[in-house]
Amino acid sequence: MNIIVVKNAEQGAKEAFALFEKAHQNGAKVFGLATGGTPVSLYGLIRESALSFEDCVSINLDEYVGLSKDNAHSYDAYMREHLFNAKPFKQSFLPDGLASEETEVARYERVLQENPIDFQLLGLGTNAHIGFNEPGTPFTQRTHKVALTQATITANKRYFEKEEDVPRYAYSMGLQSIMDAKEIVLMAYGEKKANAIFDMIEGPVTEDVPASILQTHGNVTVIIDEAAAALLSSENQ
Ligand code: GLP
């Protein structure tokens, strides 16, 4: 893993943008995209840039089950607000939160097979989940329906009016689907991510720590601020 430690999220966004731009210049056509608070500043830089995605495809990691794309809390709405309205892609795929599990899992895997991901962006859950792949998810898992853990519901309630409003299930690309990406860039900021960052980088590769699978991928860059890097041994800081 290539580890870049920055002062703050703003610096991190610049580093991530440089990698995004380089991939685009080198001909990447399929971008795997993430939601959450972490990539917001990166999407801001992309919106302000001269990059065009009119011949590119985007594939998002996940979506809440039960939310329509018009629901303001859906990841579909998030992506339009933060990126797609300003930078449309030729085609943008997100799981459909209203579709049945059987239909959606099959459709999304077809999308991934037809559009292999060149560049995948990731955030990190406080329990080291990536996408919505919670601890215990098999490393061989492909797109699936996930029951969110209490830790994730608690972490994500800040985006909703109250905890009861947080959906209990999501559709997510699986860990194997993520590992198929040619290049992966993971960003994580703040003290609350420090444990997950330590486990991901320096702990054993185990299904209890979903992000630890990234240790076995050949092209991963991790962009973290000093607070998220605090528990790492000195050679990784
Ligand atoms: C959510 C998303 C992840 C995201 C993570 C961190 O549950 N499914 O894709 O990376 O949590 O979110 P944040 O960036 O808001 O801390």
Side-chain angles (χ1 to χ4, degrees):
M1 285 180 181
N2 177 28
I3 300 166
I4 302 176
V5 181
V6 292
K7 280 255 169 274
N8 50 40
E10 200 189 323
Q11 290 303 319
K14 285 187 188 159
E15 295 284 348
F17 178 77
L19 293 171
F20 208 99
E21 189 178 39
K22 191 165 143 216
H24 189 275
Q25 279 164 357
N26 289 342
K29 291 283 179 252
V30 183
F31 290 85
L33 301 178
T35 51
T38 307
V40 166
S41 44
L42 167 62
Y43 291 146
L45 294 181
I46 297 174
R47 285 198 309 273
E48 290 160 13
S49 75
L51 294 178
S52 163
F53 298 99
E54 277 166 11
D55 63 344
C56 296
V57 169
S58 71
I59 305 181
N60 263 77
L61 282 166
D62 44 20
E63 179 61 283
Y64 289 114
V65 170
L67 299 191
S68 78
K69 46 169 102 226
D70 300 324
N71 186 304
H73 296 299
S74 71
Y75 285 159
D76 203 296
Y78 169 106
M79 288 310 301
R80 278 178 278 129
E81 179 192 341
H82 291 287
L83 190 61
F84 298 156
N85 287 347
K87 293 283 181 187
F89 283 65
K90 183 176 70 182
Q91 261 187 310
S92 284
F93 297 100
L94 280 101
D96 176 352
L98 296 185
S100 75
E101 178 178 3
E102 203 186 352
T103 313
E104 205 42 21
V105 163
R107 180 187 76 93
Y108 224 59
E109 275 307 311
R110 230 172 16 249
V111 165
L112 288 164
Q113 249 127 59
E114 286 165 8
N115 301 277
I117 294 176
D118 294 307
F119 183 94
Q120 176 69 55
L121 270 186
L122 294 176
L124 184 68
T126 50
N127 61 2
H129 73 227
I130 47 178
F132 265 131
N133 294 287
E134 298 284 29
T137 305
F139 284 157
T140 52
Q141 184 73 55
R142 307 202 66 93
T143 302
H144 59 141
K145 183 179 178 181
V146 178
L148 303 183
T149 60
Q150 187 54 46
T152 298
I153 292 166
T154 305
N156 287 8
K157 73 179 182 202
R158 67 189 191 280
Y159 298 117
F160 293 80
E161 269 153 44
K162 46 187 189 321
E163 186 170 321
E164 299 87 85
D165 295 343
V166 184
R168 272 24 189 185
Y169 294 90
Y171 292 130
S172 178
M173 275 166 55
L175 293 167
Q176 186 58 57
S177 330
I178 293 170
M179 286 293 284
D180 286 346
K182 293 192 190 96
E183 176 178 5
I184 297 177
V185 174
L186 180 146
M187 295 176 285
Y189 308 121
E191 190 188 349
K192 61 185 187 307
K193 302 285 171 79
N195 274 311
I197 283 292
F198 173 80
D199 290 344
M200 172 180 100
I201 295 175
E202 296 191 15
V205 177
T206 163
E207 290 177 352
D208 294 338
V209 179
S212 67
I213 195 177
L214 299 176
Q215 290 180 31
T216 69
H217 190 286
N219 189 359
V220 177
T221 303
V222 178
I223 300 172
I224 44 182
D225 65 0
E226 288 167 1
L231 301 177
L232 294 178
S233 56
S234 52
E235 72 263 25
N236 281 326
Q237 291 215 14

